Amino acid sequence: MRGLKTILFLIISNTFMTFAWYGHLKFKDFSWGKNLGLFSIILISWGLAFFEYTFQVPANRAGFKGDGGPFSLVQLKTIQEAITLIIFMIFTTIFFKTEKLAWNHLVGFGLIVLAVFVIFKKW
């Protein structure tokens, strides 16, 4: 159950992170965001990052073997990176219609997902 909670919280955390890091690039498409200065955008991104951390920290605490969870530190980081790329691909496809994911992007992301298998495999 802790593993599922960890993954769910990492998905939520990475969704907030992606919006904090890249969502501001779409602000100019909205009337309220056309004239925002850099400092305002940074503050909005920090606000989103707060919610990222409210899920990221509990996810890592619940998932870490040292705190009774099922994952090693390396496994946690690998899961997080794979989730980040999946969320990023979904975000890009939905919000940035001009950005096209090419075959090499998909192969590269697939190799990262393969890295998850390699790291979790008991050799």
Side-chain angles (χ1 to χ4, degrees):
M1 194 60 165
R2 288 178 71 135
L4 184 60
K5 176 183 175 182
T6 297
I7 291 170
L8 177 63
F9 275 25
L10 286 174
I11 290 169
I12 295 168
S13 168
N14 278 284
T15 300
F16 279 111
M17 179 192 73
T18 301
F19 276 94
W21 285 14
Y22 303 105
H24 64 85
L25 298 173
K26 295 297 279 185
F27 285 1
K28 65 185 176 299
D29 295 348
F30 301 101
S31 60
W32 57 265
K34 288 187 189 306
N35 296 317
L36 286 176
L38 181 59
F39 188 71
S40 297
I41 292 170
I42 290 169
L43 289 177
I44 293 168
S45 292
W46 275 357
L48 289 168
F50 169 79
F51 293 104
E52 172 200 349
Y53 278 86
T54 61
F55 288 95
Q56 180 76 20
V57 172
N60 286 331
R61 290 183 68 90
F64 181 52
K65 275 186 181 175
D67 288 332
F71 306 117
S72 72
L73 191 59
V74 173
Q75 289 172 329
L76 271 174
K77 184 59 179 173
T78 305
I79 293 167
Q80 188 272 329
E81 291 300 332
I83 289 171
T84 296
L85 287 174
I86 292 166
I87 297 293
F88 179 78
M89 285 184 356
I90 294 167
F91 176 85
T92 301
T93 303
I94 293 172
F95 293 103
F96 288 87
K97 304 288 187 202
T98 58
E99 294 285 326
K100 301 296 180 207
L101 293 174
W103 70 268
N104 58 319
H105 301 134
L106 297 176
V107 169
F109 292 158
L111 290 171
I112 292 170
V113 172
L114 180 63
V116 173
F117 169 77
V118 170
I119 287 172
F120 275 79
K121 177 82 172 141
K122 305 289 185 223
W123 300 97

